[in-house]
């Protein structure tokens, strides 16, 4: 049996992303085996008659062999390859706002209860009922509630042109990004903080006899560190997007 020789500028590969056949217009899902044309940057079905080169040798093959070949191609097309497993499949909304903060509050709350009960076997339950968690522990519960409320508002706005990702872990750290909003205008980092009866303000000082400085205040207190932490998150997201663009370009080289 003579093996078909494909042109040098056409590569048969598994699609990492979904596409459309340039010959018949059929939809090709991620993981489907297709022919990629390096020159025109298009893909085509491997079984599409219009994609067969005109000088290809025509062969008469028994129906039984054709059926077996068709079944093999269909099986290969739907079998996920190692590259397909790396492609995340996300819905309009992914994650739960405040999940990490709520988990950290529960961990600290439970650890304190165990310490108190172990140190005071007789009066431990009484002490826990009288004295609340320290402020450093309660802050995680307050933060989780703020993220949950803001996450609910963002979720209500989500749709085909606006995707919302909640509680995204930053790789190689224990920190997380509260919310990511993806829309045609770009990717927005949203950091949730909950304050009562306190509004943020920009404080500007200096400018004539000394350097101009700007600081963020909330309820009259300096919270500039919040803006600095937010900027670090923006830098990380920009780096991740740039790396993804490079990978997509290398994928089709």
């Amino acid at each position: 049996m003579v093996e078909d020789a494909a042109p040098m500028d056409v590569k048969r590969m598994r699609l990492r992303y979904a596409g459309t056949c340039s010959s018949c217009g059929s939809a090709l899902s991620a993981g489907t085996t297709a022919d990629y044309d390096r020159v025109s940057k298009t893909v085509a079905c491997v079984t599409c008659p219009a994609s067969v080169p005109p000088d290809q040798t025509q062969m008469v093959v028994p129906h039984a062999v054709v059926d077996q070949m068709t079944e093999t191609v269909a099986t290969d097309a739907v079998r996920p390859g190692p590259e397909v497993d790396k492609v995340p499949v996300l819905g309009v909304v992914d994650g739960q706002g405040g999940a990490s903060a709520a988990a950290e509050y529960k961990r600290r709350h439970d650890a304190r209860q165990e310490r108190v009960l172990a140190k005071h076997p007789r009066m431990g339950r009484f002490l826990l009922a009288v004295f609340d968690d320290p402020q450093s522990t309660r802050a995680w519960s307050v933060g989780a509630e703020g993220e949950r409320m803001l996450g609910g508002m963002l979720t209500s706005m989500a749709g085909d042109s606006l995707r919302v990702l909640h509680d995204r872990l930053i790789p190689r750290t224990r920190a997380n990004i509260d919310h990511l909003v993806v829309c045609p205008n770009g990717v927005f980092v949203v950091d949730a903080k909950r304050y009562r009866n306190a509004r943020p303000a920009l404080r500007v000082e200096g400018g004539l006899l000394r350097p101009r400085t700007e600081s963020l205040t909330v309820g009259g207190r300096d919270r500039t560190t919040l803006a600095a932490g937010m900027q670090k998150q923006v830098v990380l997201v920009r780096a991740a997007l740039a790396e993804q663009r490079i990978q997509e370009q290398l994928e089709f080289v």
Side-chain angles (χ1 to χ4, degrees), residues 65-81:
V65 178
V66 173
D67 294 340
Q68 183 178 1
M69 293 173 61
T70 303
E71 181 180 358
T72 303
V73 171
T75 303
D76 291 340
V78 299
R79 184 185 297 120

Side-chain angles (χ1 to χ4, degrees), residues 83-94:
E83 295 184 352
V84 178
D85 297 338
K86 300 178 184 179
V87 181
V89 179
L90 301 176
V92 175
V93 177
D94 188 82

Side-chain angles (χ1 to χ4, degrees), residues 225-242:
T225 55
L226 299 179
M230 182 79 166
Q231 184 61 32
K232 292 181 180 179
Q233 296 181 13
V234 172
V235 171
L236 291 173
V237 172
R238 284 177 176 170
L241 292 174

Side-chain angles (χ1 to χ4, degrees), residues 197-216:
N197 301 324
R199 298 191 60 82
L202 176 64
R203 177 183 295 171
V204 180
E205 298 177 334
L208 293 177
L209 301 179
R210 54 194 177 94
R212 174 189 172 98
T213 60
E214 297 180 352
S215 59
L216 172 67

Side-chain angles (χ1 to χ4, degrees), residues 12-247:
R12 183 155 296 182
M13 59 182 291
R14 290 186 183 275
L15 298 181
R16 187 174 182 181
Y17 303 98
T20 304
C21 176
S22 60
S23 299
C24 64
S26 301
L28 301 174
S29 59
T32 301
T33 301
D35 290 332
Y36 172 66
D37 191 325
R38 294 185 178 93
V39 177
S40 62
K41 305 295 184 181
T42 59
V43 293
C45 307
V46 296
T47 57
C48 184
S51 64
V52 179
D55 58 345
Q56 185 175 4
T57 304
Q58 301 296 326
M59 300 178 60
V60 179
V61 185
H63 291 291
V65 178
V66 173
D67 294 340
Q68 183 178 1
M69 293 173 61
T70 303
E71 181 180 358
T72 303
V73 171
T75 303
D76 291 340
V78 299
R79 184 185 297 120
E83 295 184 352
V84 178
D85 297 338
K86 300 178 184 179
V87 181
V89 179
L90 301 176
V92 175
V93 177
D94 188 82
Q96 181 179 359
S100 295
E104 179 64 18
Y105 165 74
K106 186 177 186 306
R107 185 188 70 80
R108 295 183 177 221
H109 175 79
D110 294 346
R112 173 176 175 267
Q113 284 192 328
E114 292 179 1
R115 290 195 305 269
V116 172
L117 292 176
K119 188 175 182 179
H120 306 283
R122 296 183 178 179
M123 299 185 59
R125 296 187 181 278
F126 171 77
L127 294 175
L128 291 173
V130 173
F131 298 99
D132 200 357
D133 289 324
Q135 194 279 334
S136 58
T137 299
R138 287 183 282 110
W140 287 96
S141 177
V142 174
E145 179 63 15
E147 292 182 36
R148 187 193 65 79
M149 295 171 60
L150 179 57
M153 183 186 69
L154 294 174
T155 297
S156 66
M157 300 167 57
D160 294 337
S161 60
L162 191 147
R163 304 297 176 95
V164 180
L165 310 179
H166 300 298
D167 200 38
R168 316 316 288 186
L169 179 66
I170 299 176
R172 297 179 294 277
T173 70
R174 297 182 60 183
N176 73 306
I177 297 177
D178 294 345
H179 314 280
L180 285 172
V181 177
V182 184
C183 63
N185 293 334
V187 179
F188 296 85
V189 180
V190 182
D191 191 53
K193 292 293 182 286
R194 188 184 184 192
Y195 292 96
R196 292 184 177 179
N197 301 324
R199 298 191 60 82
L202 176 64
R203 177 183 295 171
V204 180
E205 298 177 334
L208 293 177
L209 301 179
R210 54 194 177 94
R212 174 189 172 98
T213 60
E214 297 180 352
S215 59
L216 172 67
T217 62
V218 181
R221 303 179 63 180
D222 191 339
R223 289 291 184 266
T224 308
T225 55
L226 299 179
M230 182 79 166
Q231 184 61 32
K232 292 181 180 179
Q233 296 181 13
V234 172
V235 171
L236 291 173
V237 172
R238 284 177 176 170
L241 292 174
E243 181 180 356
Q244 180 62 28
R245 292 192 188 99
I246 294 175
Q247 291 179 352

